[in-house]
């Protein structure tokens, strides 16, 4: 019965955001530590419950003589002070060295990525390559990558459960966490520090590629956006209505909102709010305040002519370097 209950509870532990399905050494360390804690504290719980049942089942009034009082005191000292002290000491003896192994390597890896948490999206920069994107990280698989994180206006936390622990993103301060995906694949991350109304709408993805694929991904984003003959007018409209907040490489340079240079290549819009399917960008531009209520982009109705908005949406969908 208990086993069934545990299986039922643990079935909620797999999936894209599970620390119990690690895909890196660092995450495997965290998972093994979790299991150690789970087993040890389950044993403590069972022991306490057994003792409690035993005490309840004992017949007669409790004895009040000196021996009984001494015995009772021994239980209180043992269970209330010594057991917790031993538990915490064991936890630290295992936890500290394990935690140390998840710290960024001393020799800096070949590549660093900067991630800034905004209300409520992720700015992602590859400073050496001069590439900016948003709400997605792309990394090479099988090698450590240092992620330098900070927050823009409030504290956020960067967390990719299958790849590493959490790290706070604090305004005015830079923290470093190391990600290393063993295999190429898609991993999911989420803000894990309450950062305001739309904290729950602050997801991102991490795609790990082979080295060659990763370099091709980066190279494709280093060139300014190519504009076809018919697209110069749309790009000018974009610059006029959207460019003060959004950057598109070679077209506009706003930094208030997410960079849109490769928006057509992403998995989702609004930091994981809706999947990026055909027509999703226009839907987002028209309904973003009902899809992600309270986001900081103003309504477009009455400000941007509908046919212009439609043309901009169609053009943004093609931005897939
Ligand atoms: Cu950002 Cu919670």
């Amino acid at each position: 019965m208990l086993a069934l209950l545990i299986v039922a509870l643990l079935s909620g532990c797999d999936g894209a955001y599970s620390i119990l399905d690690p895909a890196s050494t660092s995450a495997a360390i965290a998972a093994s530590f979790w299991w150690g804690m789970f087993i040890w504290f389950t044993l403590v719980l069972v022991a306490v419950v057994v003792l409690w049942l035993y005490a309840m089942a004992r017949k007669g009034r409790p004895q009040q003589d000196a021996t009984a009082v001494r015995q009772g005191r021994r239980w209180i000292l043992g269970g209330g002070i010594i057991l917790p002290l031993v538990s915490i000491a064991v936890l630290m003896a295992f936890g500290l060295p394990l935690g140390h192994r998840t710290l960024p390597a001393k020799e800096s890896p070949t590549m660093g990525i900067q991630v800034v948490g905004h209300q409520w999206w992720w700015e992602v920069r590859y400073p050496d390559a001069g590439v900016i994107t948003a709400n997605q990280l792309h990394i090479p698989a099988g090698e450590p990558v240092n992620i330098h994180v900070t927050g823009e206006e409030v504290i956020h936390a960067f967390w990719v459960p299958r790849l590493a622990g959490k790290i706070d993103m604090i305004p005015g301060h830079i923290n470093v966490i190391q990600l290393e995906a063993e295999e190429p694949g898609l991993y999911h991350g989420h803000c894990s520090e309450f950062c305001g109304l739309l904290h729950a709408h602050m997801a991102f993805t991490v795609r790990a590629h082979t080295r060659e694929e990763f370099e091709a991904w980066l190279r494709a984003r280093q060139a300014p956006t190519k504009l076809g003959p018919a697209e110069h007018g749309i790009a000018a409209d974009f610059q006029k209505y959207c460019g003060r907040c959004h950057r598109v490489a070679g077209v506009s340079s706003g930094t208030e909102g997410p960079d849109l240079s490769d928006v057509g290549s992403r998995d989702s819009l609004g930091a994981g709010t809706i999947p990026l399917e055909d027509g999703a960008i226009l839907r987002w531009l028209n309904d973003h305040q009902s899809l992600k209520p309270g986001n900081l982009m103003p309504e477009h109705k009455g400000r941007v002519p509908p046919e212009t908005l439609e043309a901009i949406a169609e053009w943004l969908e093609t931005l897939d370097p």
Side-chain angles (χ1 to χ4, degrees), residues 65-135:
D65 59 54
T67 336
V69 168
R70 219 178 308 126
Q71 228 170 24
R73 217 173 268 153
R74 232 177 270 156
W75 275 108
I76 291 170
L77 280 178
I81 296 176
I82 296 173
L83 183 65
L85 278 181
V86 169
S87 293
I88 291 168
V90 169
L91 207 65
M92 282 174 63
F94 281 98
L96 289 180
L98 286 181
H100 203 77
R101 282 175 54 197
T102 67
L103 292 179
K106 278 270 162 30
E107 65 278 19
S108 70
T110 47
M111 205 185 60
I113 303 176
Q114 298 168 348
V115 181
V116 184
H118 292 262
Q119 280 176 319
W120 290 272
W121 57 280
W122 309 83
E123 175 186 343
V124 179
R125 290 173 176 267
Y126 296 76
D128 299 334
V131 168
I132 310 173
T133 183
N135 301 332

Side-chain angles (χ1 to χ4, degrees), residues 148-163:
H148 302 250
V149 304
T150 187
E152 172 68 20
E153 49 328 66
V154 298
I155 300 178
H156 305 267
F158 179 92
W159 192 29
V160 190
R162 295 191 60 212
L163 296 184

Side-chain angles (χ1 to χ4, degrees), residues 118 120 122 155-157 191-196 199-200 202:
H118 292 262
W120 290 272
W122 309 83
I155 300 178
H156 305 267
C191 181
S192 63
E193 180 77 46
F194 181 71
C195 53
H199 162 70
M202 203 170 156

